[in-house]
Structure formats: structure tokens, C-alpha cells
Amino acid sequence: KAGVTQTPRYLIKTRGQQVTLSCSPISGHRSVSWYQQTPGQGLQFLFEYFSETQRNKGNFPGRFSGRQFSNSRSEMNVSTLELGDSALYLCASSLGTMVSWQFFGPGTRLTVL
Amino acid sequence: DQQVKQNSPSLSVQEGRISILNCDYTNSMFDYFLWYKKYPAEGPTFLISISSIKDKNEDGRFTVFLNKSAKHLSLHIVPSQPGDSAVYFCAARSSLGGTSYGKLTFGQGTILTVHP
């Protein structure tokens, strides 16, 4: 099976712009979660989508949003970018059940100038 | 409020010896725990997990121990190999409500270096 893919791998934006990141989960996985990794805060949960519905949400401002399509692919959007949004954004997919674990993609490195 | 803590930022061991990575948690609702390994510029890779109904789970060179009363888990790697050098993350999850399976709370990570 192909792994989790994320595009683009690297992105440079300026403050105030918006950005959309994409994630394609492993075939058959219905759950897609997004995480932000920064040196100071570590890996922090953004949100999870399961069968096109947001099932869980972390403590991030409303500028961070996402969606999931019927084929389980997911997108994450960040509007009005701030310097502090510079981070590695990781997507993870899973079956979304009690004993399933998450498989992570390679991440998208976002730099905000 | 850090609900999952890895108090050792780094650990250095000799090849062939045991590596023990520790993790503490505060949220008593956590009932499933996972360890991930991460290399630079890659996403975390799942290593091993344990449910709260068990106190030990073993997979090859990797064993995870869970002490629920102490809210503590540890990952043992025996024997350690240079290829094990990476950042190790402990993560926890709650099954509360049956909808939180996709939400992991991570520790800050421990950098393991295995010297030849």
C-alpha cells in the first residue's frame, strides 16, 4: 500500500497570505488528523476528520481550518498567516477505530516571512 | 498544561546496551499509548502501542511497560543499534465517547543517540 502523501513538501509564504495544504491518506483509511510541529511546542493536534466530518478539534484559532472529501483526501487551510505559523505540518491517517494507530506523512514545511 | 511529558530531552547509550525512554502522563482518561520514532525531515513512524488493560507489550527488540497507578510508561530497546538513533515520541489517546481515536497528545520527545 502507498503511504500517506502530503503536498507540497515545502512552502514559503509572507505574512497575511493564506495557504492550503493537501493530504492523501492510505487507501481504506477514513480518519485524517493534522498536527503542527514546532521546536518550542512539539507536536500539537490541530483537528481530525472522519468520513468528511470534523470529529475532533485542538486549541488553535479559527484561522486554521480543514475539510475532508468523499475519497478521504483532506486539505488544511491557514488564513492570514503569521510568523508563528512557521512549522512542519503533519498529516496522519488511520482506520479511526479503537485499536488503530496513525500513519504519518512526511509533512509540509511552511515558512512564513 | 502538558498532559504527556518526556522529561529527558536526550539519552546516549552504547551499541548493544539497553535504551530506556520514559514518559509520564497526567490525564487519567488516557487509555491507549503509543511510541513513535522520528528522523529529521520525515514524519513519525509508529513503533509500538499498549492498551491500558495491559502492563506490557513486546515486539522484537521493543518492549513498552505501563504503570497505570504511577501514570508512567517506558520504552525499552534491547539491544540498541546505531540505526535506532532518532527522536522518540510518546503519545496518548482517550477512547472517551468513542470519537477521540484520531486525537493524539504527544510528549516533547527524547533524542536517542546510540554510539557504535
Side-chain angles (χ1 to χ4, degrees), chain A residues 9-10 31 33 35 37 39-45 47-48 55-58 88 90 94 96-107, chain B residues 2-3 31-32 34 36 38 41-49 51 87 89 93 95-96 98-109:
Chain A
R9 292 292 311 276
Y10 302 91
S31 167
S33 299
Y35 295 85
Q37 184 182 20
Q41 299 296 321
L43 270 155
Q44 292 194 296
F45 173 78
F47 31 67
E48 181 214 5
R55 188 161 72 167
N56 289 284
K57 190 176 189 305
L88 180 67
L90 291 159
S94 77
T97 59
M98 186 184 299
V99 292
S100 62
W101 53 84
Q102 295 181 355
F103 294 82
F104 282 82
Chain B
Q2 189 127 18
Q3 298 186 58
D31 56 10
Y32 194 68
L34 308 91
Y36 282 85
K38 187 179 186 299
E42 294 183 13
T45 302
F46 171 77
L47 273 176
I48 192 168
S49 64
S51 164
V87 181
F89 289 97
R93 193 182 75 194
S95 324
L96 185 66
T99 60
S100 300
Y101 306 137
K103 178 180 178 180
L104 293 179
T105 301
F106 281 86
Q108 293 289 89

Short mmCIF file of all heavy atoms in Angstrom, two decimals, chain A residues 9-10 31 33 35 37 39-45 47-48 55-58 88 90 94 96-107, chain B residues 2-3 31-32 34 36 38 41-49 51 87 89 93 95-96 98-109:
data_model
loop_
_atom_site.label_atom_id
_atom_site.label_comp_id
_atom_site.label_asym_id
_atom_site.label_seq_id
_atom_site.Cartn_x
_atom_site.Cartn_y
_atom_site.Cartn_z
N ARG A 9 5.72 19.73 -0.30
CA ARG A 9 6.62 19.39 0.79
C ARG A 9 7.20 20.64 1.45
O ARG A 9 7.46 20.65 2.65
CB ARG A 9 7.77 18.52 0.27
CG ARG A 9 7.36 17.13 -0.16
CD ARG A 9 6.89 16.26 1.03
NE ARG A 9 7.81 16.29 2.14
CZ ARG A 9 8.89 15.52 2.23
NH1 ARG A 9 9.18 14.67 1.26
NH2 ARG A 9 9.68 15.61 3.29
N TYR A 10 7.38 21.66 0.67
CA TYR A 10 7.93 22.91 1.19
C TYR A 10 7.13 24.07 0.63
O TYR A 10 6.67 24.04 -0.51
CB TYR A 10 9.40 23.07 0.80
CG TYR A 10 10.28 21.95 1.29
CD1 TYR A 10 10.50 20.83 0.48
CD2 TYR A 10 10.84 21.99 2.55
CE1 TYR A 10 11.29 19.78 0.94
CE2 TYR A 10 11.63 20.94 3.02
CZ TYR A 10 11.84 19.85 2.20
OH TYR A 10 12.61 18.81 2.67
N SER A 31 -9.95 8.12 8.59
CA SER A 31 -9.61 9.19 9.54
C SER A 31 -8.33 9.89 9.09
O SER A 31 -7.33 9.25 8.77
CB SER A 31 -9.40 8.60 10.93
OG SER A 31 -8.79 9.55 11.79
N SER A 33 -5.89 13.09 10.48
CA SER A 33 -5.60 14.07 11.54
C SER A 33 -4.47 14.96 11.09
O SER A 33 -3.59 14.54 10.35
CB SER A 33 -5.21 13.36 12.84
OG SER A 33 -6.24 12.54 13.31
N TYR A 35 -1.42 17.73 12.48
CA TYR A 35 -0.63 18.17 13.62
C TYR A 35 0.34 19.26 13.16
O TYR A 35 0.79 19.27 12.03
CB TYR A 35 0.19 17.01 14.20
CG TYR A 35 -0.65 15.90 14.78
CD1 TYR A 35 -1.16 14.89 13.98
CD2 TYR A 35 -0.92 15.86 16.15
CE1 TYR A 35 -1.93 13.87 14.51
CE2 TYR A 35 -1.69 14.84 16.69
CZ TYR A 35 -2.19 13.86 15.86
OH TYR A 35 -2.96 12.86 16.41
N GLN A 37 4.05 20.82 14.15
CA GLN A 37 5.26 20.59 14.94
C GLN A 37 6.15 21.82 14.89
O GLN A 37 6.55 22.27 13.81
CB GLN A 37 6.05 19.37 14.45
CG GLN A 37 7.25 19.07 15.34
CD GLN A 37 8.08 17.91 14.89
OE1 GLN A 37 8.04 17.51 13.73
NE2 GLN A 37 8.84 17.34 15.80
N PRO A 39 9.58 23.75 17.17
CA PRO A 39 10.62 23.43 18.16
C PRO A 39 10.16 23.73 19.60
O PRO A 39 10.47 22.99 20.50
CB PRO A 39 11.78 24.34 17.76
CG PRO A 39 11.57 24.60 16.31
CD PRO A 39 10.08 24.64 16.12
N GLY A 40 9.40 24.78 19.77
CA GLY A 40 9.01 25.16 21.13
C GLY A 40 7.83 24.40 21.69
O GLY A 40 7.78 24.10 22.87
N GLN A 41 6.88 24.04 20.84
CA GLN A 41 5.63 23.43 21.30
C GLN A 41 5.53 21.94 20.99
O GLN A 41 4.59 21.29 21.41
CB GLN A 41 4.43 24.14 20.65
CG GLN A 41 4.32 25.61 21.01
CD GLN A 41 4.07 25.81 22.49
OE1 GLN A 41 3.31 25.07 23.11
NE2 GLN A 41 4.72 26.80 23.07
N GLY A 42 6.47 21.40 20.27
CA GLY A 42 6.38 19.98 19.93
C GLY A 42 5.27 19.71 18.94
O GLY A 42 4.89 20.57 18.15
N LEU A 43 4.73 18.50 19.01
CA LEU A 43 3.66 18.08 18.10
C LEU A 43 2.32 18.39 18.73
O LEU A 43 1.98 17.85 19.78
CB LEU A 43 3.75 16.57 17.86
CG LEU A 43 4.60 16.09 16.71
CD1 LEU A 43 5.09 14.69 16.96
CD2 LEU A 43 3.78 16.12 15.43
N GLN A 44 1.55 19.25 18.08
CA GLN A 44 0.25 19.62 18.64
C GLN A 44 -0.86 19.29 17.67
O GLN A 44 -0.77 19.57 16.47
CB GLN A 44 0.24 21.11 18.97
CG GLN A 44 1.16 21.47 20.13
CD GLN A 44 0.88 22.86 20.65
OE1 GLN A 44 1.06 23.85 19.94
NE2 GLN A 44 0.39 22.95 21.88
N PHE A 45 -1.92 18.74 18.23
CA PHE A 45 -3.07 18.29 17.44
C PHE A 45 -3.88 19.49 16.96
O PHE A 45 -4.22 20.38 17.74
CB PHE A 45 -3.93 17.39 18.32
CG PHE A 45 -5.24 16.98 17.70
CD1 PHE A 45 -5.29 15.98 16.73
CD2 PHE A 45 -6.42 17.59 18.09
CE1 PHE A 45 -6.49 15.60 16.18
CE2 PHE A 45 -7.63 17.22 17.54
CZ PHE A 45 -7.67 16.21 16.58
N PHE A 47 -6.70 19.12 14.20
CA PHE A 47 -8.06 18.57 14.07
C PHE A 47 -8.01 17.22 13.38
O PHE A 47 -7.00 16.82 12.81
CB PHE A 47 -9.01 19.51 13.29
CG PHE A 47 -8.37 20.36 12.24
CD1 PHE A 47 -7.81 19.81 11.10
CD2 PHE A 47 -8.32 21.74 12.39
CE1 PHE A 47 -7.23 20.59 10.13
CE2 PHE A 47 -7.73 22.54 11.42
CZ PHE A 47 -7.17 21.97 10.29
N GLU A 48 -9.14 16.52 13.49
CA GLU A 48 -9.31 15.22 12.85
C GLU A 48 -10.59 15.20 12.05
O GLU A 48 -11.63 15.71 12.51
CB GLU A 48 -9.36 14.09 13.88
CG GLU A 48 -9.51 12.70 13.24
CD GLU A 48 -10.33 11.73 14.06
OE1 GLU A 48 -10.87 12.12 15.10
OE2 GLU A 48 -10.41 10.55 13.65
N ARG A 55 -14.22 15.50 13.55
CA ARG A 55 -14.59 14.72 14.73
C ARG A 55 -13.93 15.26 16.00
O ARG A 55 -14.45 15.09 17.10
CB ARG A 55 -14.20 13.25 14.49
CG ARG A 55 -14.69 12.30 15.55
CD ARG A 55 -14.70 10.86 15.08
NE ARG A 55 -13.36 10.28 14.94
CZ ARG A 55 -13.15 8.96 14.80
NH1 ARG A 55 -14.16 8.13 14.80
NH2 ARG A 55 -11.93 8.49 14.66
N ASN A 56 -12.77 15.85 15.85
CA ASN A 56 -12.07 16.41 17.00
C ASN A 56 -11.36 17.69 16.57
O ASN A 56 -10.96 17.84 15.42
CB ASN A 56 -11.01 15.43 17.53
CG ASN A 56 -11.62 14.25 18.22
OD1 ASN A 56 -12.07 14.35 19.34
ND2 ASN A 56 -11.64 13.12 17.53
N LYS A 57 -11.17 18.58 17.54
CA LYS A 57 -10.51 19.83 17.24
C LYS A 57 -9.58 20.20 18.37
O LYS A 57 -9.92 20.04 19.55
CB LYS A 57 -11.56 20.94 17.05
CG LYS A 57 -11.00 22.24 16.51
CD LYS A 57 -12.12 23.25 16.26
CE LYS A 57 -11.62 24.47 15.51
NZ LYS A 57 -10.48 25.12 16.16
N GLY A 58 -8.39 20.67 18.05
CA GLY A 58 -7.43 21.11 19.05
C GLY A 58 -7.63 22.58 19.38
O GLY A 58 -8.59 23.21 18.95
N LEU A 88 6.34 22.61 10.79
CA LEU A 88 6.14 21.40 9.99
C LEU A 88 4.71 20.93 10.24
O LEU A 88 4.33 20.71 11.39
CB LEU A 88 7.14 20.31 10.39
CG LEU A 88 7.05 18.98 9.62
CD1 LEU A 88 7.45 19.17 8.17
CD2 LEU A 88 7.92 17.93 10.29
N LEU A 90 2.04 18.09 9.82
CA LEU A 90 2.00 16.65 9.58
C LEU A 90 0.55 16.17 9.48
O LEU A 90 -0.31 16.59 10.27
CB LEU A 90 2.69 15.92 10.73
CG LEU A 90 4.21 16.11 10.81
CD1 LEU A 90 4.71 15.81 12.21
CD2 LEU A 90 4.90 15.22 9.80
N SER A 94 -5.56 6.94 9.61
CA SER A 94 -5.79 5.69 10.32
C SER A 94 -7.18 5.17 9.99
O SER A 94 -7.97 5.85 9.34
CB SER A 94 -5.66 5.89 11.84
OG SER A 94 -6.81 6.52 12.36
N GLY A 96 -9.26 4.81 12.23
CA GLY A 96 -10.11 5.59 13.11
C GLY A 96 -10.86 4.77 14.14
O GLY A 96 -11.86 5.22 14.70
N THR A 97 -10.37 3.57 14.41
CA THR A 97 -11.02 2.71 15.39
C THR A 97 -10.20 2.64 16.67
O THR A 97 -9.10 3.16 16.75
CB THR A 97 -11.21 1.29 14.82
OG1 THR A 97 -9.91 0.78 14.49
CG2 THR A 97 -12.08 1.32 13.58
N MET A 98 -10.73 1.92 17.66
CA MET A 98 -10.13 1.92 18.99
C MET A 98 -8.68 1.46 19.02
O MET A 98 -7.85 2.03 19.70
CB MET A 98 -10.97 1.06 19.93
CG MET A 98 -10.51 1.13 21.37
SD MET A 98 -11.41 0.02 22.45
CE MET A 98 -13.06 0.64 22.29
N VAL A 99 -8.37 0.43 18.28
CA VAL A 99 -7.01 -0.11 18.36
C VAL A 99 -6.17 0.22 17.13
O VAL A 99 -5.16 -0.41 16.87
CB VAL A 99 -7.01 -1.63 18.61
CG1 VAL A 99 -7.54 -1.94 19.98
CG2 VAL A 99 -7.79 -2.34 17.53
N SER A 100 -6.59 1.19 16.37
CA SER A 100 -5.79 1.56 15.21
C SER A 100 -4.80 2.65 15.59
O SER A 100 -5.05 3.43 16.49
CB SER A 100 -6.70 2.06 14.08
OG SER A 100 -7.41 3.22 14.48
N TRP A 101 -3.68 2.66 14.90
CA TRP A 101 -2.72 3.72 15.13
C TRP A 101 -2.56 4.55 13.88
O TRP A 101 -2.98 4.16 12.79
CB TRP A 101 -1.37 3.15 15.58
CG TRP A 101 -0.81 2.11 14.69
CD1 TRP A 101 -0.07 2.29 13.56
CD2 TRP A 101 -0.94 0.69 14.85
NE1 TRP A 101 0.26 1.08 13.01
CE2 TRP A 101 -0.25 0.08 13.78
CE3 TRP A 101 -1.56 -0.11 15.80
CZ2 TRP A 101 -0.18 -1.29 13.64
CZ3 TRP A 101 -1.48 -1.48 15.66
CH2 TRP A 101 -0.79 -2.06 14.59
N GLN A 102 -1.97 5.70 14.05
CA GLN A 102 -1.88 6.65 12.95
C GLN A 102 -0.57 6.49 12.18
O GLN A 102 0.49 6.30 12.76
CB GLN A 102 -1.99 8.08 13.49
CG GLN A 102 -3.36 8.34 14.10
CD GLN A 102 -3.50 9.75 14.61
OE1 GLN A 102 -2.57 10.54 14.60
NE2 GLN A 102 -4.69 10.08 15.07
N PHE A 103 -0.69 6.58 10.87
CA PHE A 103 0.45 6.57 9.98
C PHE A 103 0.66 8.00 9.49
O PHE A 103 -0.28 8.62 8.98
CB PHE A 103 0.19 5.65 8.78
CG PHE A 103 0.07 4.20 9.14
CD1 PHE A 103 -1.12 3.69 9.63
CD2 PHE A 103 1.14 3.34 8.97
CE1 PHE A 103 -1.24 2.35 9.97
CE2 PHE A 103 1.04 1.99 9.29
CZ PHE A 103 -0.16 1.50 9.80
N PHE A 104 1.87 8.48 9.65
CA PHE A 104 2.15 9.87 9.32
C PHE A 104 2.76 10.03 7.93
O PHE A 104 3.52 9.17 7.46
CB PHE A 104 3.12 10.48 10.34
CG PHE A 104 2.48 10.85 11.63
CD1 PHE A 104 2.25 9.90 12.61
CD2 PHE A 104 2.08 12.16 11.87
CE1 PHE A 104 1.64 10.23 13.82
CE2 PHE A 104 1.48 12.52 13.07
CZ PHE A 104 1.25 11.55 14.04
N GLY A 105 2.43 11.16 7.32
CA GLY A 105 3.08 11.55 6.09
C GLY A 105 4.39 12.26 6.41
O GLY A 105 4.73 12.46 7.57
N PRO A 106 5.12 12.68 5.37
CA PRO A 106 6.42 13.31 5.57
C PRO A 106 6.33 14.76 6.04
O PRO A 106 7.32 15.32 6.52
CB PRO A 106 7.07 13.24 4.19
CG PRO A 106 5.91 13.23 3.25
CD PRO A 106 4.83 12.47 3.94
N GLY A 107 5.15 15.33 5.91
CA GLY A 107 4.98 16.70 6.38
C GLY A 107 5.16 17.74 5.30
O GLY A 107 5.78 17.49 4.25
N GLN B 2 0.85 20.49 30.12
CA GLN B 2 1.39 19.39 29.34
C GLN B 2 0.88 18.08 29.93
O GLN B 2 1.28 17.68 31.02
CB GLN B 2 2.91 19.44 29.40
CG GLN B 2 3.58 18.50 28.46
CD GLN B 2 4.60 19.19 27.58
OE1 GLN B 2 5.04 20.28 27.88
NE2 GLN B 2 4.99 18.56 26.51
N GLN B 3 0.02 17.40 29.21
CA GLN B 3 -0.59 16.18 29.72
C GLN B 3 0.30 14.96 29.52
O GLN B 3 0.08 13.93 30.17
CB GLN B 3 -1.94 15.96 29.05
CG GLN B 3 -2.93 17.06 29.32
CD GLN B 3 -4.29 16.72 28.74
OE1 GLN B 3 -4.88 15.70 29.08
NE2 GLN B 3 -4.77 17.58 27.86
N ASP B 31 -6.19 5.99 27.67
CA ASP B 31 -6.25 4.55 27.82
C ASP B 31 -5.54 3.80 26.70
O ASP B 31 -5.66 2.58 26.58
CB ASP B 31 -7.71 4.09 27.93
CG ASP B 31 -8.56 4.55 26.75
OD1 ASP B 31 -7.99 5.06 25.76
OD2 ASP B 31 -9.79 4.41 26.84
N TYR B 32 -4.85 4.53 25.86
CA TYR B 32 -4.09 3.89 24.78
C TYR B 32 -2.86 4.72 24.55
O TYR B 32 -2.95 5.96 24.43
CB TYR B 32 -4.96 3.82 23.51
CG TYR B 32 -4.44 2.89 22.44
CD1 TYR B 32 -4.43 1.51 22.63
CD2 TYR B 32 -3.98 3.38 21.23
CE1 TYR B 32 -3.97 0.65 21.65
CE2 TYR B 32 -3.51 2.53 20.23
CZ TYR B 32 -3.51 1.17 20.45
OH TYR B 32 -3.06 0.31 19.47
N LEU B 34 1.13 5.12 22.69
CA LEU B 34 1.91 4.75 21.51
C LEU B 34 3.29 5.37 21.59
O LEU B 34 3.48 6.42 22.20
CB LEU B 34 1.22 5.26 20.23
CG LEU B 34 -0.25 4.90 20.03
CD1 LEU B 34 -1.16 5.99 20.61
CD2 LEU B 34 -0.56 4.73 18.55
N TYR B 36 6.38 6.58 18.94
CA TYR B 36 6.75 6.85 17.56
C TYR B 36 8.23 7.22 17.52
O TYR B 36 8.77 7.81 18.46
CB TYR B 36 5.94 8.02 16.99
CG TYR B 36 4.52 7.68 16.59
CD1 TYR B 36 3.48 7.69 17.52
CD2 TYR B 36 4.21 7.35 15.27
CE1 TYR B 36 2.19 7.38 17.15
CE2 TYR B 36 2.92 7.04 14.88
CZ TYR B 36 1.92 7.06 15.84
OH TYR B 36 0.63 6.75 15.46
N LYS B 38 11.09 9.28 15.09
CA LYS B 38 11.11 10.29 14.03
C LYS B 38 12.55 10.63 13.65
O LYS B 38 13.36 10.98 14.49
CB LYS B 38 10.37 11.56 14.48
CG LYS B 38 10.20 12.58 13.36
CD LYS B 38 9.45 13.80 13.82
CE LYS B 38 9.16 14.75 12.67
NZ LYS B 38 10.35 15.26 12.00
N ALA B 41 13.31 15.51 8.91
CA ALA B 41 12.68 15.68 7.59
C ALA B 41 11.75 14.52 7.21
O ALA B 41 11.42 14.36 6.03
CB ALA B 41 13.73 15.88 6.50
N GLU B 42 11.36 13.72 8.19
CA GLU B 42 10.39 12.66 7.92
C GLU B 42 9.26 12.74 8.94
O GLU B 42 9.42 13.33 10.01
CB GLU B 42 11.03 11.27 8.03
CG GLU B 42 12.07 10.98 6.98
CD GLU B 42 12.62 9.57 7.11
OE1 GLU B 42 12.02 8.76 7.85
OE2 GLU B 42 13.65 9.28 6.47
N GLY B 43 8.14 12.12 8.62
CA GLY B 43 7.06 12.05 9.59
C GLY B 43 7.35 10.97 10.61
O GLY B 43 8.17 10.08 10.38
N PRO B 44 6.71 11.02 11.78
CA PRO B 44 6.90 9.98 12.79
C PRO B 44 6.49 8.61 12.27
O PRO B 44 5.54 8.49 11.49
CB PRO B 44 5.98 10.42 13.93
CG PRO B 44 5.78 11.89 13.72
CD PRO B 44 5.79 12.07 12.25
N THR B 45 7.20 7.60 12.72
CA THR B 45 6.91 6.21 12.35
C THR B 45 6.45 5.46 13.59
O THR B 45 7.13 5.49 14.62
CB THR B 45 8.17 5.52 11.77
OG1 THR B 45 8.62 6.26 10.64
CG2 THR B 45 7.86 4.09 11.35
N PHE B 46 5.32 4.77 13.48
CA PHE B 46 4.78 4.02 14.59
C PHE B 46 5.74 2.88 14.99
O PHE B 46 6.25 2.16 14.14
CB PHE B 46 3.41 3.45 14.23
CG PHE B 46 2.88 2.48 15.24
CD1 PHE B 46 2.33 2.94 16.42
CD2 PHE B 46 2.92 1.11 15.00
CE1 PHE B 46 1.83 2.05 17.35
CE2 PHE B 46 2.42 0.21 15.91
CZ PHE B 46 1.89 0.68 17.10
N LEU B 47 5.94 2.73 16.30
CA LEU B 47 6.81 1.67 16.80
C LEU B 47 6.02 0.57 17.51
O LEU B 47 6.08 -0.59 17.16
CB LEU B 47 7.81 2.24 17.81
CG LEU B 47 9.11 2.81 17.29
CD1 LEU B 47 9.89 3.41 18.44
CD2 LEU B 47 9.93 1.77 16.55
N ILE B 48 5.31 0.98 18.55
CA ILE B 48 4.63 0.01 19.40
C ILE B 48 3.57 0.73 20.21
O ILE B 48 3.67 1.94 20.44
CB ILE B 48 5.66 -0.70 20.33
CG1 ILE B 48 5.05 -1.92 21.01
CG2 ILE B 48 6.26 0.28 21.33
CD1 ILE B 48 6.10 -2.81 21.70
N SER B 49 2.54 -0.01 20.60
CA SER B 49 1.48 0.61 21.39
C SER B 49 1.10 -0.31 22.54
O SER B 49 1.49 -1.49 22.58
CB SER B 49 0.25 0.88 20.52
OG SER B 49 -0.29 -0.34 20.04
N SER B 51 -2.40 -0.91 25.31
CA SER B 51 -3.69 -0.53 25.85
C SER B 51 -3.60 -0.50 27.37
O SER B 51 -2.79 -1.21 27.96
CB SER B 51 -4.74 -1.55 25.41
OG SER B 51 -5.90 -1.43 26.19
N VAL B 87 14.58 10.70 17.20
CA VAL B 87 13.76 11.30 18.26
C VAL B 87 12.59 10.35 18.53
O VAL B 87 11.93 9.90 17.59
CB VAL B 87 13.23 12.69 17.86
CG1 VAL B 87 12.40 13.28 19.00
CG2 VAL B 87 14.38 13.61 17.50
N PHE B 89 8.96 9.79 20.38
CA PHE B 89 7.81 10.47 20.96
C PHE B 89 6.88 9.47 21.61
O PHE B 89 6.55 8.44 21.03
CB PHE B 89 7.03 11.23 19.88
CG PHE B 89 7.73 12.43 19.33
CD1 PHE B 89 8.46 12.35 18.16
CD2 PHE B 89 7.65 13.65 19.99
CE1 PHE B 89 9.11 13.46 17.64
CE2 PHE B 89 8.28 14.77 19.47
CZ PHE B 89 9.02 14.67 18.30
N ARG B 93 -3.86 8.63 24.06
CA ARG B 93 -5.17 8.84 23.46
C ARG B 93 -6.25 8.38 24.43
O ARG B 93 -6.03 7.47 25.23
CB ARG B 93 -5.24 8.01 22.17
CG ARG B 93 -6.38 8.32 21.26
CD ARG B 93 -6.33 7.40 20.06
NE ARG B 93 -6.77 6.05 20.38
CZ ARG B 93 -6.57 5.01 19.59
NH1 ARG B 93 -5.92 5.14 18.47
NH2 ARG B 93 -7.00 3.83 19.94
N SER B 95 -10.30 7.02 24.74
CA SER B 95 -11.45 6.47 23.99
C SER B 95 -12.75 7.06 24.46
O SER B 95 -13.81 6.62 24.04
CB SER B 95 -11.58 4.96 24.17
OG SER B 95 -10.38 4.34 24.24
N LEU B 96 -12.69 8.07 25.29
CA LEU B 96 -13.89 8.65 25.87
C LEU B 96 -14.86 9.06 24.78
O LEU B 96 -14.51 9.78 23.85
CB LEU B 96 -13.52 9.87 26.71
CG LEU B 96 -14.66 10.54 27.48
CD1 LEU B 96 -15.17 9.60 28.56
CD2 LEU B 96 -14.18 11.85 28.10
N GLY B 98 -15.93 7.44 22.44
CA GLY B 98 -15.76 6.65 21.22
C GLY B 98 -15.45 7.47 19.99
O GLY B 98 -15.55 6.98 18.86
N THR B 99 -15.04 8.72 20.16
CA THR B 99 -14.78 9.56 18.99
C THR B 99 -13.41 10.20 19.00
O THR B 99 -13.11 11.02 18.13
CB THR B 99 -15.83 10.67 18.88
OG1 THR B 99 -15.77 11.49 20.06
CG2 THR B 99 -17.22 10.11 18.71
N SER B 100 -12.57 9.87 19.96
CA SER B 100 -11.29 10.57 20.08
C SER B 100 -10.12 9.76 19.54
O SER B 100 -8.98 10.04 19.86
CB SER B 100 -11.02 10.92 21.55
OG SER B 100 -12.04 11.77 22.04
N TYR B 101 -10.40 8.73 18.74
CA TYR B 101 -9.32 7.85 18.30
C TYR B 101 -8.31 8.56 17.42
O TYR B 101 -7.18 8.11 17.30
CB TYR B 101 -9.89 6.64 17.56
CG TYR B 101 -10.94 5.89 18.34
CD1 TYR B 101 -12.10 5.44 17.75
CD2 TYR B 101 -10.76 5.63 19.70
CE1 TYR B 101 -13.07 4.75 18.47
CE2 TYR B 101 -11.71 4.94 20.43
CZ TYR B 101 -12.87 4.50 19.81
OH TYR B 101 -13.81 3.83 20.53
N GLY B 102 -8.72 9.64 16.80
CA GLY B 102 -7.80 10.33 15.90
C GLY B 102 -7.06 11.48 16.54
O GLY B 102 -6.39 12.23 15.84
N LYS B 103 -7.17 11.62 17.85
CA LYS B 103 -6.52 12.73 18.53
C LYS B 103 -5.45 12.20 19.46
O LYS B 103 -5.76 11.57 20.48
CB LYS B 103 -7.55 13.53 19.34
CG LYS B 103 -6.94 14.67 20.13
CD LYS B 103 -7.99 15.42 20.91
CE LYS B 103 -7.35 16.54 21.73
NZ LYS B 103 -8.38 17.29 22.51
N LEU B 104 -4.21 12.44 19.11
CA LEU B 104 -3.09 12.02 19.94
C LEU B 104 -2.50 13.24 20.65
O LEU B 104 -2.37 14.30 20.06
CB LEU B 104 -2.00 11.36 19.10
CG LEU B 104 -2.32 10.02 18.44
CD1 LEU B 104 -1.14 9.53 17.62
CD2 LEU B 104 -2.73 8.99 19.48
N THR B 105 -2.14 13.02 21.92
CA THR B 105 -1.40 14.04 22.67
C THR B 105 0.02 13.54 22.81
O THR B 105 0.25 12.44 23.33
CB THR B 105 -2.03 14.25 24.06
OG1 THR B 105 -3.40 14.66 23.90
CG2 THR B 105 -1.27 15.32 24.83
N PHE B 106 0.97 14.34 22.34
CA PHE B 106 2.36 13.92 22.29
C PHE B 106 3.20 14.52 23.40
O PHE B 106 2.93 15.65 23.86
CB PHE B 106 2.98 14.34 20.95
CG PHE B 106 2.63 13.47 19.79
CD1 PHE B 106 1.46 13.70 19.06
CD2 PHE B 106 3.45 12.42 19.41
CE1 PHE B 106 1.14 12.89 17.99
CE2 PHE B 106 3.13 11.62 18.33
CZ PHE B 106 1.97 11.84 17.62
N GLY B 107 4.22 13.78 23.80
CA GLY B 107 5.26 14.35 24.64
C GLY B 107 6.21 15.17 23.78
O GLY B 107 6.06 15.24 22.56
N GLN B 108 7.19 15.79 24.43
CA GLN B 108 8.10 16.68 23.71
C GLN B 108 9.19 15.93 22.95
O GLN B 108 9.90 16.53 22.15
CB GLN B 108 8.76 17.65 24.70
CG GLN B 108 7.78 18.64 25.31
CD GLN B 108 7.31 19.67 24.30
OE1 GLN B 108 6.32 19.46 23.61
NE2 GLN B 108 8.00 20.78 24.21
N GLY B 109 9.32 14.64 23.23
CA GLY B 109 10.32 13.85 22.51
C GLY B 109 11.62 13.71 23.27
O GLY B 109 12.00 14.58 24.06
#
